[in-house]
Amino acid sequence: MQIAGLGWRWVVMGWLVLFPMAKLHAASARPSAGAPTATEKYVMDQVILGNVANLSSAFPNDERRVIRGVFLEELLTGVRKDCSIHRNGVQIEGAIIHDTVDLRNAQIKNDVRLIKCQFNGEVIFAQADFADGFLLERCTFATTMNGNGIKVARDLSLLKSVFNGPVSFEQLQVEGVLFAEEASFLSTSAPVNFNTLKAGGNVIFSKTVFAGALQMQYGHITDNLRFDGARWTNHLALASFEATKVDGSATWEKADFTGYVSFKDAKFNALNLTGVKWPEHATGEWLWFNGMSYQRISAGSEKDSWSNLMHLLDRSARGTAYSIDIYTGLQEFYKREGYPGVANEFFFAQKKREREEVLHGTEWCWSLFLDVFVGYGRSPLRALFWSILIVTYGVSVFRPKRMEPRSKDIKTGPFSPFWYSMDMFLPLIKLHDAELWMPKAEARYARFWGRIHTVLGWALIPIAVAAWTGMLEK
């Protein structure tokens, strides 16, 4: 009896647990669309014939252009037995859908073209698999658009569509081209998410408007990326392209950034930043290029590009974490292009910023000395200039009236301030003038400067030789 009673208890407990779950599942399951409305019947008739179901023309009254979300789901997935989809696919223009469209995990075999449609409810395409193309052109989305994990075997188009709510296309995979030209993403509450995007063709966001942040990180674009003329209107939002790889060219020509921008660890074949309007932040952390790599880069005409890039780094560098690769990347690029002078300008800028943000004490002094004296080996002529200056100053200090023979027993000729200054300055080279002459006891400054003169020669000449032989550049 005890065993039987225990068994009944388990049955009751299981019923208490499973019944609410079953009830919840039944409540969440979407009912069948059933018989079509007159508008939906028109749509099916046109789809069967392979024509565009243009509701704007067929039903000028907005109320007549309404179709149900569940009907659209059944039509796109091909489960409606009363509608045989033509090889041209589903083509609908001007439809109004008030309720939710939920196509998560759906398998959609036919080409889908939704033009000038108005979605007033939530739109969910998460993990949907489109075996052909998917077009959402000039559509309006009043609330959330969830396109996470969509796979499209051909092209995906969001051309001129307006998204008023949160938008996410994370892990989107497009075999062909992604068109988002002149689209508008107007939500300021959540970032537009295109993280881990994979595209086999071009990705085009030209003249697109972003009212909030954009996340396009860790993606791989096989062809070109275009943000020409795109605009970001929120001065607090971040446009992030971090760790994105573009095999073709990536262009932001005449793009307008208002907030913050990051290209950290991005990899480009060719990068075009010509005519970009950067944020008005004078200095500080608003632009990140750390770890970014490229084969080619341009920020204007061939004449102005390098100076525009230098100005950009000068504006953005202050207050950010120091990263040498921002400068070395530009150095290497201009070396490859045959502009060693321009490459050196970025090298000097990098060293200057290193002193400002990293070096202290003796390291700071040594860096400044190498910069001033030999340009870190990049400007060895500076060493000749300083040597001539020191020797010339020595000539003015070691005047004949301040000098006397070291010994009355030594026969000397006329005293030469130039050769004496040279002999005191050059290490390991004996011109014998310094062995014959010395400053008089009362010429205290000449005696003092004679020591400094010799020390400078021993310090500067080896560095000058290293600069001339290229050893300091290694």
Side-chain angles (χ1 to χ4, degrees):
M1 292 294 295
Q2 291 180 348
I3 297 175
L6 183 62
W8 277 106
R9 290 174 186 172
W10 280 108
V11 171
V12 172
M13 290 178 64
W15 183 82
L16 290 174
V17 172
L18 295 176
F19 178 75
M21 294 177 63
K23 185 176 180 181
L24 178 63
H25 175 73
S28 61
R30 289 173 67 80
S32 171
T37 64
T39 303
E40 293 167 352
K41 181 64 169 61
Y42 166 79
V43 171
M44 290 193 301
D45 291 342
Q46 300 305 310
V47 169
I48 292 171
L49 295 173
N51 297 331
V52 176
N54 192 332
L55 302 184
S56 299
S57 299
F59 306 99
N61 190 331
D62 286 358
E63 295 179 358
R64 295 292 308 278
R65 295 194 283 118
V66 175
I67 62 175
R68 294 167 294 163
V70 65
F71 166 78
L72 183 61
E73 295 167 19
E74 293 179 354
L75 182 64
L76 297 185
T77 54
V79 299
R80 291 197 67 91
K81 304 301 182 182
D82 53 355
C83 182
S84 178
I85 299 177
H86 191 272
R87 63 178 179 272
N88 290 345
V90 177
Q91 305 175 76
I92 303 174
E93 182 172 335
I96 299 174
I97 304 97
H98 291 304
D99 54 339
T100 298
V101 176
D102 190 346
L103 282 163
R104 72 187 81 191
N105 300 310
Q107 301 289 319
I108 302 173
K109 299 179 180 179
N110 301 288
D111 187 44
V112 175
R113 296 173 178 264
L114 304 178
I115 305 171
K116 296 181 181 179
C117 293
Q118 182 176 326
F119 296 88
N120 295 326
E122 186 178 9
V123 178
I124 306 172
F125 288 106
Q127 308 301 324
D129 191 343
F130 291 82
D132 207 306
F134 184 28
L135 187 149
L136 291 169
E137 289 189 355
R138 298 177 176 85
C139 294
T140 302
F141 298 83
T143 181
T144 303
M145 171 60 179
N146 183 348
N148 293 337
I150 289 180
K151 295 181 180 179
V152 183
R154 291 179 62 191
D155 299 337
L156 170 62
S157 179
L158 308 175
L159 179 70
K160 295 185 179 180
S161 288
V162 177
F163 300 86
N164 291 289
V167 178
S168 182
F169 283 95
E170 189 169 13
Q171 297 182 337
L172 171 65
Q173 297 183 43
V174 181
E175 294 295 327
V177 176
L178 169 58
F179 292 101
E181 189 171 7
E182 296 187 55
S184 297
F185 298 92
L186 303 181
S187 173
T188 59
S189 61
V192 177
N193 189 342
F194 280 91
N195 283 340
T196 62
L197 165 67
K198 289 181 171 57
N202 294 324
V203 173
I204 302 174
F205 281 85
S206 299
K207 299 181 181 179
T208 301
V209 176
F210 297 91
L214 168 65
Q215 295 179 345
M216 186 176 282
Q217 303 171 167
Y218 305 102
H220 184 193
I221 299 166
T222 305
D223 214 324
N224 303 311
L225 175 63
R226 296 281 185 268
F227 275 91
D228 302 333
R231 292 189 297 119
W232 282 262
T233 61
N234 190 332
H235 71 283
L236 297 177
L238 169 67
S240 178
F241 307 96
E242 296 181 5
T244 291
K245 181 181 180 182
V246 182
D247 294 343
S249 62
T251 69
W252 279 263
E253 190 167 346
K254 296 184 179 179
D256 187 347
F257 291 105
T258 305
Y260 301 84
V261 190
S262 179
F263 291 94
K264 285 183 179 179
D265 300 317
K267 296 182 179 180
F268 305 112
N269 180 38
L271 176 61
N272 186 352
L273 301 174
T274 299
V276 172
K277 184 179 180 182
W278 299 102
E280 294 300 324
H281 314 296
T283 58
E285 300 184 19
W286 59 270
L287 174 63
W288 294 270
F289 281 149
N290 311 53
M292 184 181 74
S293 60
Y294 44 80
Q295 293 300 311
R296 296 188 60 81
I297 185 170
S298 175
S301 65
E302 185 175 355
K303 177 183 177 182
D304 300 329
S305 180
W306 79 270
S307 58
N308 291 339
L309 289 169
M310 181 68 77
H311 177 66
L312 179 60
L313 291 184
D314 285 343
R315 282 188 55 215
S316 64
R318 307 288 82 79
T320 64
Y322 173 70
S323 179
I324 189 174
D325 58 354
I326 301 174
Y327 295 91
T328 55
L330 289 166
Q331 292 174 47
E332 295 302 319
F333 169 70
Y334 280 105
K335 278 184 179 179
R336 293 196 304 267
E337 294 297 301
Y339 296 100
V342 174
N344 286 341
E345 292 295 330
F346 286 102
F347 175 80
F348 296 142
Q350 175 251 314
K351 288 296 185 180
K352 179 181 178 183
R353 187 178 172 199
E354 185 179 54
R355 289 198 302 273
E356 292 176 352
E357 301 191 24
V358 179
L359 302 181
H360 304 281
T362 56
E363 291 182 331
W364 185 93
C365 294
W366 178 246
S367 176
L368 180 62
F369 168 76
L370 289 178
D371 187 3
V372 173
F373 187 62
V374 289
Y376 301 96
R378 306 295 178 99
S379 300
L381 284 176
R382 293 187 189 180
L384 180 60
F385 166 78
W386 285 109
S387 297
I388 293 173
L389 185 64
I390 293 170
V391 170
T392 302
Y393 183 70
V395 170
S396 67
V397 172
F398 306 124
R399 303 305 300 170
K401 63 181 181 180
R402 299 171 184 166
M403 308 299 292
E404 64 181 5
R406 285 187 178 272
S407 174
K408 295 180 181 180
D409 299 332
I410 301 175
K411 185 178 180 179
T412 62
F415 174 75
S416 171
F418 172 75
W419 290 114
Y420 182 82
S421 182
M422 286 287 290
D423 197 15
M424 293 286 286
F425 183 71
L426 295 174
L428 303 178
I429 298 177
K430 297 297 183 181
L431 302 178
H432 303 295
D433 286 67
E435 298 174 357
L436 300 176
W437 299 92
M438 68 177 184
K440 294 178 181 179
E442 62 271 19
R444 294 182 179 180
Y445 182 75
R447 284 176 173 268
F448 167 76
W449 181 254
R451 296 184 180 93
I452 301 298
H453 200 82
T454 302
V455 170
L456 287 175
W458 279 94
L460 301 182
I461 294 302
I463 296 174
V465 172
W468 281 100
T469 57
M471 293 179 62
L472 287 182
E473 295 189 49
K474 298 180 180 180

